[in-house]
Amino acid sequence: MKNSSKLFYAVILLILGSCCGIPYSVDFHNETPALVRMSYATLNMDGNDKWYKDTVSYEIEKDSVLRLYFKATYNNSVKKLSKCILFFKFETPEKSVCLEGPEEVVKVFSKHVEYKGYEFVINDSLFNCGNKQ
């Protein structure tokens, strides 16, 4: 009986883990000589099954790292997560760039570091290519 209860709890944990998702951590490294304002918007559903957009902004000091956690609530994949995030926008006092749409947003999750999560480097080359705003 003891083994069957352990098996039951293991199955419950697996089910909860697969539907709720494990957060993906992303370290945003600011390697520019200025403060960077980073914004992103997510598409969410409220309790009445209505869609709404939520935008969040952060300031990242020069030569610093901001760690954020993103949760894929459907199918536990970065590809699905990139469809829920509408854009990432990075702004300095002189330049800005916007990664918009799933094909661009997934670039934030492209560099995986074992045991650390994902890293995204914000440097001058980011502002020289991409979707200028």
Side-chain angles (χ1 to χ4, degrees), residues 1-13:
M1 189 67 161
K2 190 175 183 180
N3 285 338
S4 63
S5 65
K6 285 183 183 179
L7 179 63
F8 173 75
Y9 287 120
V11 168
I12 294 297
L13 288 174

Side-chain angles (χ1 to χ4, degrees), residues 3-132:
N3 285 338
S4 63
S5 65
K6 285 183 183 179
L7 179 63
F8 173 75
Y9 287 120
V11 168
I12 294 297
L13 288 174
L14 284 172
I15 290 170
L16 288 175
S18 66
C19 70
C20 298
I22 298 171
Y24 292 98
S25 67
V26 179
D27 289 342
F28 292 91
H29 295 263
N30 181 3
E31 295 182 356
T32 67
L35 174 87
V36 171
R37 184 172 186 82
M38 188 216 36
S39 308
Y40 69 92
T42 57
L43 188 60
N44 302 297
M45 187 179 288
D46 67 11
N48 298 321
D49 294 335
K50 299 209 187 239
W51 290 97
Y52 68 95
K53 295 176 187 173
D54 190 19
T55 303
V56 182
S57 295
Y58 295 92
E59 290 184 345
I60 309 170
E61 296 288 334
K62 68 178 186 172
D63 299 322
S64 66
V65 177
L66 171 68
R67 176 173 282 175
L68 295 177
Y69 293 91
F70 299 92
K71 194 169 183 181
T73 56
Y74 173 64
N75 216 10
N76 293 338
S77 77
V78 167
K79 191 173 183 180
K80 299 294 182 188
L81 178 59
S82 68
K83 291 180 181 177
C84 296
I85 299 175
L86 303 175
F87 67 82
F88 280 100
K89 187 171 188 176
F90 303 93
E91 301 171 278
T92 68
E94 296 85 29
K95 308 173 219 172
S96 72
V97 66
C98 186
L99 304 176
E100 192 169 5
E103 295 80 24
E104 291 291 314
V105 167
V106 79
K107 292 177 182 178
V108 170
F109 303 98
S110 64
K111 184 179 179 190
H112 186 263
V113 179
E114 194 170 2
Y115 303 114
K116 285 183 76 177
Y118 293 90
E119 289 183 341
F120 187 79
V121 177
I122 305 163
N123 55 26
D124 289 333
S125 66
L126 173 67
F127 297 99
N128 295 330
C129 62
N131 300 326
K132 302 243 185 332

